Amino acid sequence: MLSVSVDNPESIVREIVASGEKYGFEVMISLLSKNNFLAESIPESAKSQIHDDIYNNKPEITGFIGDLGLTDVYRYENWIETLRTFSKSDDDFVKNLNDIILNKITDPREAFGIHSMIENHNYPEKLSKEAKDKYLYYINSYIESYPKNEVASYINSKK
């Protein structure tokens, strides 16, 4: 429903988030991540509500810490891209990105989920020094700790 024009998309997002249904949430953020039309066509209050609901529902990477799959990375990339799409501005998104890196990462594998956003959109220069250092620490420490994880090495090579 969110891929077409709907009334009150923020209520649909809230309902999906409240359901706790992980697959539904994954499908939703996949649709929202690049839906600039929706983000630009709704009132600022609805856009802000969607952003906040997504921001407060970070996807979890499960399983053994040494395992990092492309599905986990893709899910996290969609989450971060949805935050970018529904942010008030690029500056606001950079503030969120700094906060995520400094305060919300609970698993070093999450850094790989924000890797393409940081590297492909010139965010290394926009991040605070502390956030950039912490992000690089997560990436480098993970690769050093799990050198046989081909997904981590592959993602890190995409600069």
Side-chain angles (χ1 to χ4, degrees), residues 33-135:
S33 67
K34 303 278 188 200
N35 197 336
N36 293 320
F37 174 77
L38 177 63
E40 293 168 3
S41 67
I42 60 177
E44 197 61 42
S45 61
K47 184 177 175 179
S48 179
Q49 183 64 56
I50 290 171
H51 175 276
D52 293 349
D53 284 339
I54 300 302
Y55 183 78
N56 292 318
N57 287 280
K58 177 181 71 157
E60 182 182 2
I61 299 176
T62 59
F64 174 66
I65 190 77
D67 295 334
L68 175 65
L70 287 174
T71 302
D72 294 319
V73 172
Y74 181 69
R75 183 182 311 114
Y76 209 91
E77 284 176 344
N78 281 334
W79 177 73
I80 206 79
E81 184 67 40
T82 300
L83 292 176
R84 181 174 178 243
T85 300
F86 286 85
S87 286
K88 294 175 188 169
S89 66
D90 193 55
D91 287 342
D92 191 53
F93 175 69
V94 171
K95 287 178 190 173
N96 280 318
L97 193 55
N98 279 304
D99 183 54
I100 290 165
I101 294 168
L102 293 171
N103 303 309
K104 289 183 91 60
I105 289 181
T106 56
D107 183 320
R109 297 174 293 177
E110 294 173 41
F112 292 92
I114 62 176
H115 182 78
S116 70
M117 174 65 69
I118 289 174
E119 296 301 328
N120 295 335
H121 296 283
N122 204 29
Y123 285 116
E125 287 136 31
K126 297 178 182 179
L127 292 175
S128 70
K129 180 181 178 349
E130 296 81 14
K132 184 177 178 180
D133 289 347
K134 194 168 186 180
Y135 160 75

Side-chain angles (χ1 to χ4, degrees), residues 2 16-17 19-31:
L2 292 168
I16 292 169
V17 168
S19 77
E21 218 298 300
K22 289 182 181 183
Y23 180 71
F25 184 79
E26 287 176 33
V27 171
M28 177 185 69
I29 61 173
S30 178
L31 290 170

